[in-house]
Amino acid sequence: MKVVLDTNVLVSGLLNSKGNPAVVLTLALTGAIQVCHDKRILAEYSEVLARPRFKFDPIRVREVLIKLEVDGLSFASSNTMLNLPDPDDEPFLDTALAASADYLITGNTADYPPAKCHGMHVISPADFVALWRTLHPETGNPMAPD
């Protein structure tokens, strides 16, 4: 399954090891799902995760970023103007569309109005985890969210 992860999913997954974003991140890091990205997304991941206010271990951040880049699927950006409410969200939708991703996973689904998403399935981490568990009951519970 191909997905695009909004940066807020990575931040939340690293901040709280027991939440739904952490389950999504674990699925990505174990190769259960493939993360699609482009250079804009990787740059944003890197910049945001390095912010001092999060106090993330730089070694852990580097490991996560390398894993996502190497194991993920890279796409060239089209730089298409998608007219989302926040232009900073456009690389995520642009990449999801270019990759024909199954889902764009974000903690801020309201930032992606369905009328502007060209049919892309934009889903919250909680909804994605529920869907994953329905589709893959044999995998059990990779992590139990709160």
Side-chain angles (χ1 to χ4, degrees), residues 27-97:
L27 290 170
L29 294 175
T30 60
I33 58 177
Q34 280 194 297
V35 177
C36 304
H37 53 72
D38 72 1
K39 64 184 177 185
R40 300 168 299 173
I41 291 173
L42 293 175
E44 179 170 319
Y45 287 171
S46 195
E47 186 272 321
V48 171
L49 296 178
R51 290 180 182 165
R53 71 178 171 180
F54 293 125
K55 300 178 180 158
F56 292 137
D57 175 1
I59 294 170
R60 175 71 177 136
V61 167
R62 191 174 81 244
E63 289 170 350
V64 167
L65 294 177
I66 289 170
K67 183 84 170 149
L68 292 176
E69 182 175 6
V70 171
D71 291 351
L73 300 171
S74 182
F75 289 84
S77 61
S78 70
N79 291 314
T80 302
M81 293 300 295
L82 297 166
N83 297 312
L84 292 176
D86 182 351
D88 290 342
D89 293 325
E90 293 195 5
F92 299 93
L93 180 57
D94 184 31
T95 299
L97 292 169

